[in-house]
Amino acid sequence: MTKQDAERIAILTAGVVILALTAAAFWLSYAHLADVAKTNGLATSTARMWAWPATLDLFIVAGEVLMFRAALRKVTDWWAVALTVAGSTGSIGLNVAGVGAGQPPLHYVVAAVPPAAALLAFGALMRQVHHLVGDQPTDPHPAPDVPAPAKVTLDRTPEPAPAPDATSAPAAELPAAKPAPAAVSVPPALLDHARKLADTHHATTGRPIDADTLRARLGVPAALASSITAQLT
């Protein structure tokens, strides 16, 4: 198992735990707010008693969904943050106030824990989302440290002297011979990296890599890319 696989499993596990924690905290907070509504004027209507907490907790849900959407876009939605903070603050305050005056301190703690835990759990989830979105994909075959392409030397082979031909025109009238193509010296490390890129390209497209594509991937001169392509075939 690679380090990336282990990190992915840890993040997924943490996400499942956070979602379970958030669901339990929301349920406890919602049920307590329903009891608060029951003791404060809505005891005669069970439907209204259970619907009343939604006027507060749905602000939290809407804000968290919008914050999650903004995180996927690598931006910050301050309206979503404001909705989440306003809903969470109101939920904590009403849960604590619903305990009533003159109660033991632990009663207030018990009432405040569920909405506070839901807020902290969602904050932890958003932090992981930001980390995942912010990570850029890395090259599975990173380029090794090789000399700069500008320092690659070109070895030119000497041109052979033309053989005399009695039937041909005088030497002065013969056209100049074209120079032999330059043989480019390719560092072994650069050649190994190019071979990995060529294998990946062939596995993806089903075709061997050409000189132009290799030049664009390596950022080397055309002559060097052509020489590397020739050595890969």
Side-chain angles (χ1 to χ4, degrees):
M1 178 183 297
T2 63
K3 180 180 178 181
Q4 291 182 349
D5 292 337
E7 289 181 353
R8 188 177 295 108
I9 293 175
I11 291 174
L12 291 176
T13 303
V16 172
V17 173
I18 289 173
L19 289 177
L21 172 61
T22 303
F26 260 97
W27 167 245
L28 291 173
S29 174
Y30 196 95
H32 186 246
L33 289 180
D35 291 339
V36 173
K38 180 179 180 180
T39 57
N40 288 274
L42 296 180
T44 57
S45 175
T46 304
R48 292 168 59 194
M49 176 187 74
W50 281 99
W52 180 82
T55 60
L56 183 64
D57 286 347
L58 285 182
F59 278 103
I60 304 175
V61 175
E64 290 180 348
V65 171
L66 292 176
M67 285 177 64
F68 183 77
R69 173 176 175 267
L72 294 177
R73 295 186 173 188
K74 301 182 182 181
V75 297
T76 301
D77 188 345
W78 292 110
W79 277 102
V81 174
L83 283 176
T84 305
V85 171
S88 299
T89 303
S91 180
I92 294 173
L94 287 176
N95 271 280
V96 173
V99 175
Q103 299 298 321
L106 192 57
H107 287 194
Y108 300 103
V109 174
V110 170
V113 163
L119 179 62
L120 293 176
F122 181 76
L125 181 61
M126 285 299 97
R127 184 172 182 272
Q128 294 303 320
V129 171
H130 276 289
H131 278 297
L132 287 177
V133 174
D135 290 340
Q136 298 296 329
T138 57
D139 188 355
H141 302 296
D145 294 333
V146 296
K151 297 182 179 179
V152 176
T153 59
L154 301 178
D155 299 331
R156 297 183 179 275
T157 57
E159 300 176 5
D165 190 354
T167 60
S168 61
E173 299 178 2
L174 292 176
K178 295 182 179 180
V184 182
S185 175
V186 183
L190 182 59
L191 184 60
D192 291 340
H193 180 57
R195 183 171 289 105
K196 293 178 181 179
L197 293 177
D199 293 341
T200 303
H201 181 82
H202 187 271
T204 303
T205 64
R207 298 188 303 272
I209 194 168
D210 55 272
D212 291 336
T213 303
L214 188 62
R215 179 176 62 85
R217 295 284 182 87
L218 294 177
V220 298
L224 180 58
S226 299
S227 180
I228 295 175
T229 306
Q231 295 186 42
L232 292 178
T233 57

